[in-house]
Amino acid sequence: MYAIIETGGKQYKVKEGDIITVEKLNVDAGANYIFDKVLSVLNGDESTFGTPYLDGASVGASVIGDGKGKKVVVYKYKSKKNYHCKKGHRQPFTKLKIESITGA
Protein backbone atom coordinates (compact mmCIF):
# COMPACT_ATOMS: atom_id res chain seq x y z
CA MET A 1 0.00 0.00 0.00
CA TYR A 2 1.34 3.41 -0.89
CA ALA A 3 0.08 6.95 -1.22
CA ILE A 4 0.99 10.11 -3.09
CA ILE A 5 1.05 13.20 -0.88
CA GLU A 6 1.70 16.87 -1.52
CA THR A 7 3.73 19.12 0.76
CA GLY A 8 5.94 22.13 0.15
CA GLY A 9 4.80 22.37 -3.47
CA LYS A 10 6.18 18.88 -4.23
CA GLN A 11 4.64 15.43 -4.50
CA TYR A 12 6.01 12.34 -2.75
CA LYS A 13 5.23 8.64 -3.20
CA VAL A 14 5.31 7.10 0.28
CA LYS A 15 4.62 3.77 1.96
CA GLU A 16 4.67 2.74 5.61
CA GLY A 17 8.17 2.66 7.06
CA ASP A 18 9.67 5.08 4.50
CA ILE A 19 11.99 7.84 5.65
CA ILE A 20 11.62 10.99 3.54
CA THR A 21 13.00 14.51 3.58
CA VAL A 22 10.55 17.32 2.84
CA GLU A 23 10.67 21.10 2.87
CA LYS A 24 11.09 22.49 6.39
CA LEU A 25 8.02 22.10 8.61
CA ASN A 26 7.48 23.98 11.88
CA VAL A 27 7.28 20.85 14.04
CA ASP A 28 9.51 19.65 16.87
CA ALA A 29 11.51 16.42 16.67
CA GLY A 30 9.61 13.45 18.06
CA ALA A 31 6.21 14.96 17.31
CA ASN A 32 3.62 13.46 15.00
CA TYR A 33 2.51 15.14 11.78
CA ILE A 34 -0.51 14.33 9.63
CA PHE A 35 -0.61 15.03 5.90
CA ASP A 36 -4.16 15.72 4.75
CA LYS A 37 -3.27 16.62 1.15
CA VAL A 38 -3.39 13.06 -0.17
CA LEU A 39 -3.66 12.84 -3.95
CA SER A 40 -4.11 9.07 -4.27
CA VAL A 41 -3.99 5.84 -2.29
CA LEU A 42 -3.07 2.59 -4.04
CA ASN A 43 -3.50 -0.80 -2.37
CA GLY A 44 -2.70 -3.73 -4.68
CA ASP A 45 -5.22 -3.68 -7.53
CA GLU A 46 -7.45 -1.19 -5.71
CA SER A 47 -6.69 2.48 -6.34
CA THR A 48 -8.39 5.69 -5.31
CA PHE A 49 -7.70 9.11 -6.79
CA GLY A 50 -8.82 12.52 -5.57
CA THR A 51 -9.93 15.63 -7.43
CA PRO A 52 -7.42 17.02 -6.46
CA TYR A 53 -7.36 15.62 -2.88
CA LEU A 54 -9.03 12.61 -1.30
CA ASP A 55 -11.62 13.37 1.38
CA GLY A 56 -10.95 11.52 4.62
CA ALA A 57 -7.56 10.17 3.57
CA SER A 58 -4.48 10.97 5.64
CA VAL A 59 -0.87 9.94 6.08
CA GLY A 60 0.63 9.96 9.57
CA ALA A 61 4.34 10.53 10.11
CA SER A 62 6.69 11.02 13.03
CA VAL A 63 9.31 13.76 12.86
CA ILE A 64 12.90 12.52 13.13
CA GLY A 65 14.49 15.96 13.01
CA ASP A 66 15.56 18.97 10.98
CA GLY A 67 18.68 19.58 8.97
CA LYS A 68 20.26 21.39 6.06
CA GLY A 69 21.03 20.02 2.62
CA LYS A 70 24.33 20.08 0.80
CA LYS A 71 25.75 23.49 -0.03
CA VAL A 72 24.94 24.91 -3.44
CA VAL A 73 27.51 27.43 -4.65
CA VAL A 74 26.27 30.33 -6.78
CA TYR A 75 29.09 32.08 -8.60
CA LYS A 76 28.55 35.12 -10.81
CA TYR A 77 31.11 37.03 -12.80
CA LYS A 78 31.36 39.36 -15.74
CA SER A 79 34.37 38.97 -17.96
CA LYS A 80 36.83 41.87 -18.24
CA LYS A 81 34.91 43.92 -15.61
CA ASN A 82 36.52 42.60 -12.38
CA TYR A 83 33.11 41.52 -11.05
CA HIS A 84 32.96 38.31 -8.99
CA CYS A 85 30.23 37.29 -6.55
CA LYS A 86 30.30 33.95 -4.74
CA LYS A 87 27.38 32.91 -2.53
CA GLY A 88 26.38 29.65 -0.92
CA HIS A 89 22.99 28.26 0.06
CA ARG A 90 21.87 25.30 2.18
CA GLN A 91 18.19 24.41 1.92
CA PRO A 92 16.59 23.44 5.28
CA PHE A 93 14.60 20.19 5.43
CA THR A 94 12.62 18.03 7.84
CA LYS A 95 13.19 14.27 7.99
CA LEU A 96 10.05 12.17 8.56
CA LYS A 97 9.22 8.50 9.04
CA ILE A 98 5.88 7.40 7.57
CA GLU A 99 3.86 5.57 10.23
CA SER A 100 0.39 5.01 8.77
CA ILE A 101 -1.67 5.45 5.62
CA THR A 102 -5.41 5.81 5.95
CA GLY A 103 -7.44 5.61 2.74
CA ALA A 104 -10.85 7.09 2.10
Side-chain angles (χ1 to χ4, degrees):
M1 175 179 218
Y2 67 92
I4 299 175
I5 60 171
E6 180 182 328
T7 179
K10 299 179 179 80
Q11 296 176 1
Y12 299 90
K13 177 182 171 182
V14 297
K15 59 183 178 185
E16 290 184 15
D18 280 355
I19 294 177
I20 60 171
T21 57
V22 298
E23 294 291 320
K24 177 118 171 60
L25 302 171
N26 288 331
V27 213
D28 295 330
N32 291 329
Y33 190 81
I34 296 178
F35 294 100
D36 55 348
K37 292 185 176 181
V38 179
L39 299 169
S40 65
V41 175
L42 294 101
N43 188 3
D45 294 335
E46 184 181 325
S47 59
T48 311
F49 298 94
T51 55
Y53 305 116
L54 282 171
D55 292 330
S58 65
V59 173
S62 62
V63 179
I64 296 173
D66 295 329
K68 288 185 179 181
K70 295 187 110 184
K71 183 177 278 193
V72 177
V73 176
V74 179
Y75 189 76
K76 300 178 183 180
Y77 83 99
K78 298 198 183 291
S79 60
K80 304 180 195 106
K81 301 296 179 192
N82 197 20
Y83 171 76
H84 299 272
C85 181
K86 183 177 180 181
K87 292 183 181 177
H89 175 75
R90 295 180 69 191
Q91 186 69 26
F93 65 83
T94 300
K95 190 176 274 194
L96 303 163
K97 180 175 183 184
I98 305 299
E99 300 290 339
S100 64
I101 298 174
T102 308

